[in-house]
C-alpha cells in the first residue's frame, strides 16, 4: 500500500479549498514531497502568497491549463462535481477524506479516471499513520477476539466555525470517526459489517454529534465503537484489539502501538506526507486507489442507526 515512488519532474498541483486542513496538513506535506509543487490555488476566501489564485475550480481549469493534478480539500458535498470537472479536463485528482457525500458518486468518478487515463486517489490519511501497517502485520498472524474503538474529540477545537459539517453530507461526528473506520478496515484480516447503531443528533443540527456502533465479521468477532464530538481535555483516538496473544492498542490516531503495555511503535505525524508519496506513485504507474469501504460503513450507520435527539449544539 505504501508506495514511495515519485516522478522525477515535480507534478504541478493545484489546491482547491484553502481552508484549515489544507493549511495545516496539505501544504506542509507537499513541501516535504519531491514529487509535487504547488502551482495554483482555487478558493473563495483565501489565497497563497506567490501562487496564482482563482475563485473557483472552473476558473482554475480554464486559467491554469498547465496544472497537472488537483487536491480537493473542499467540503464533501461539492467534491463530486469538482472531481468530475478536473478529470474531464485531464487532471489527476486527490480527494480529501471522506471522498464524497455519498457512496454512489465514487464509482462513476473512478470510471471517468480510467477512461481519461488519469489517477483518482480517495485518501484515508489515518491509514498512513506509523502504527497501522505494523498492527496489520501482527493481526494477520493472531486471532482477533474483540475490538473496542474510542474516538472522541472536541469539535470546537478541530472544526471551529465549519458549519458544513453539520449539514446533510457533512457527516458530523463521522468526519473524524471515519478515520477510525479506515484504520479498522485496513488492519483486520476479515471484512467487517455493521449490526446496530445509535446516533445522537443535536436538536438544531442535521448531522450526529455522537455515535455508538456495533460491528462484527464473518467469525462473529464483537467490535464496538464510540464516537463523540463533545470531548474536552485530552482527546481520545484509540483502538484496542484483544487477540489470542494479548492486547494490541493503537493510540494517538494510529501513531503509537503497544502490545500488552510494551511499546512497539511510537511514531511521528507523517500521514499526509505518506498520502502524497502514494499519490505520486499512483500517477507514475497510471493507477488509481479508490476504496469506498469506510464511507460505506458510515452510510450503513445512517441506514441502521436509531436516532436520538440531544441538546442543541452552538459553535
Amino acid at each position: 500500500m505504501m508506495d514511495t515512488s515519485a516522478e522525477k519532474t515535480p507534478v504541478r498541483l493545484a489546491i482547491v479549498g484553502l481552508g484549515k486542513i489544507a493549511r495545516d496538513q496539505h501544504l506542509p506535506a507537499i513541501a516535504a514531497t519531491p514529487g509535487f509543487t504547488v502551482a495554483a490555488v482555487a478558493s473563495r476566501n483565501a489565497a497563497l502568497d506567490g501562487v496564482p489564485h482563482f475563485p473557483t475550480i472552473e476558473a482554475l481549469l480554464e486559467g491554469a491549463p498547465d496544472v497537472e493534478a488537483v487536491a480537493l480539500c473542499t467540503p464533501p458535498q461539492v467534491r463530486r462535481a469538482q472531481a468530475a470537472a478536473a478529470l474531464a479536463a485531464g487532471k489527476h485528482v486527490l480527494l480529501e477524506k471522506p471522498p464524497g457525500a455519498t457512496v454512489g458518486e465514487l464509482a462513476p468518478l473512478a470510471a471517468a479516471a480510467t477512461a481519461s487515463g488519469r489517477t483518482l486517489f480517495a485518501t484515508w490519511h489515518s491509514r498512513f499513520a506509523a502504527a497501522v501497517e505494523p498492527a496489520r502485520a501482527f493481526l494477520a498472524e493472531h486471532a482477533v477476539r474483540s475490538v473496542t474503538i474510542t474516538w472522541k474529540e472536541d469539535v470546537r477545537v478541530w472544526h471551529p466555525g465549519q458549519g458544513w459539517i453539520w449539514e446533510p453530507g457533512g457527516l458530523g461526528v463521522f468526519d473524524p470517526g471515519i478515520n477510525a473506520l479506515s484504520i479498522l478496515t485496513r488492519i483486520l484480516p476479515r471484512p467487517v459489517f455493521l449490526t446496530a447503531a445509535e446516533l445522537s443528533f443535536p436538536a438544531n443540527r442535521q448531522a450526529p454529534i455522537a455515535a455508538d456502533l456495533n460491528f462484527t465479521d464473518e467469525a462473529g468477532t464483537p467490535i464496538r465503537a464510540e464516537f463523540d464530538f463533545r470531548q474536552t481535555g485530552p482527546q481520545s483516538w484509540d483502538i484496542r484489539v484483544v487477540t489470542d496473544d494479548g492486547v494490541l492498542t493503537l493510540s494517538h490516531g494510529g501513531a503509537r502501538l503497544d502490545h500488552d503495555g510494551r511499546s512497539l511503535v511510537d511514531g511521528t505525524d507523517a500521514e499526509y506526507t505518506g498520502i502524497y508519496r502514494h499519490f505520486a506513485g499512483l500517477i507514475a504507474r497510471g493507477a488509481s486507489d479508490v476504496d469506498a469501504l469506510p464511507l460505506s460503513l458510515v452510510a450503513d450507520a445512517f441506514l441502521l442507526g436509531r436516532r436520538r435527539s440531544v441538546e442543541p449544539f452552538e459553535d
Side-chain angles (χ1 to χ4, degrees):
M1 173 180 164
M2 305 298 183
D3 192 321
T4 59
S5 62
E7 291 188 340
K8 294 180 180 180
T9 302
V11 173
R12 294 178 57 81
L13 177 88
I15 293 179
V16 181
L18 192 63
K20 179 175 172 58
I21 191 67
R23 291 188 178 276
D24 290 353
Q25 299 291 350
H26 287 261
L27 288 177
I30 294 166
T33 305
F36 295 97
T37 184
V38 177
V41 168
S43 183
R44 291 180 301 172
N45 302 313
L48 194 62
D49 290 345
V51 176
H53 173 264
F54 301 88
T56 66
I57 188 172
E58 291 80 10
L60 181 147
L61 294 173
E62 181 178 352
D66 58 339
V67 163
E68 300 167 272
V70 298
L72 298 183
C73 305
T74 48
Q77 295 96 324
V78 300
R79 287 206 201 115
R80 188 215 62 79
Q82 293 175 337
L87 289 169
K91 316 303 180 185
H92 307 291
V93 176
L94 179 149
L95 300 169
E96 175 58 76
K97 68 86 196 169
T102 69
V103 178
E105 64 196 50
L106 296 181
L109 290 177
T114 299
S116 63
R118 294 298 180 264
T119 290
L120 179 65
F121 179 25
T123 66
W124 300 109
H125 64 80
S126 290
R127 287 182 174 176
F128 291 83
V132 171
E133 290 306 304
R136 174 182 168 88
F138 182 96
L139 296 176
E141 298 180 354
H142 297 89
V144 177
R145 306 301 190 201
S146 67
V147 182
T148 303
I149 301 172
T150 305
W151 219 262
K152 300 179 179 181
E153 64 181 52
D154 188 344
V155 65
R156 292 184 174 90
V157 172
W158 299 100
H159 296 279
Q162 295 180 0
W164 59 265
I165 207 166
W166 298 111
E167 296 299 325
L171 299 191
V173 75
F174 285 104
D175 182 81
I178 204 170
N179 294 333
L181 299 180
S182 73
I183 294 175
L184 180 74
T185 53
R186 178 64 186 167
I187 65 175
L188 291 190
R190 291 182 294 269
V192 302
F193 53 91
L194 187 78
T195 58
E198 181 177 273
L199 311 181
S200 297
F201 284 75
N204 61 336
R205 303 291 180 174
Q206 297 297 312
I209 198 168
D212 293 327
L213 310 167
N214 289 312
F215 302 88
T216 191
D217 60 14
E218 293 174 341
T221 306
I223 303 167
R224 177 169 174 77
E226 295 183 17
F227 302 157
D228 204 317
F229 248 164
R230 300 166 293 190
Q231 180 95 325
T232 58
Q235 310 285 275
S236 304
W237 302 297
D238 307 318
I239 301 177
R240 182 177 185 270
V241 186
V242 178
T243 78
D244 62 354
D245 184 21
V247 178
L248 197 69
T249 303
L250 291 91
S251 59
H252 293 75
R256 298 182 184 177
L257 184 66
D258 296 321
H259 178 227
D260 284 345
R262 179 174 63 90
S263 178
L264 300 181
V265 177
D266 190 356
T268 58
D269 181 5
E271 297 174 13
Y272 279 83
T273 55
I275 280 175
Y276 277 97
R277 287 196 302 269
H278 188 54
F279 190 33
L282 290 171
I283 292 172
R285 300 195 314 273
S288 289
D289 184 353
V290 184
D291 180 7
L293 183 55
L295 186 59
S296 295
L297 292 177
V298 172
D300 289 346
F302 281 95
L303 283 170
L304 287 182
R306 294 180 179 273
R307 179 174 178 137
R308 185 167 72 98
S309 183
V310 298
E311 64 276 3
F313 173 81
E314 301 297 341
D315 198 352

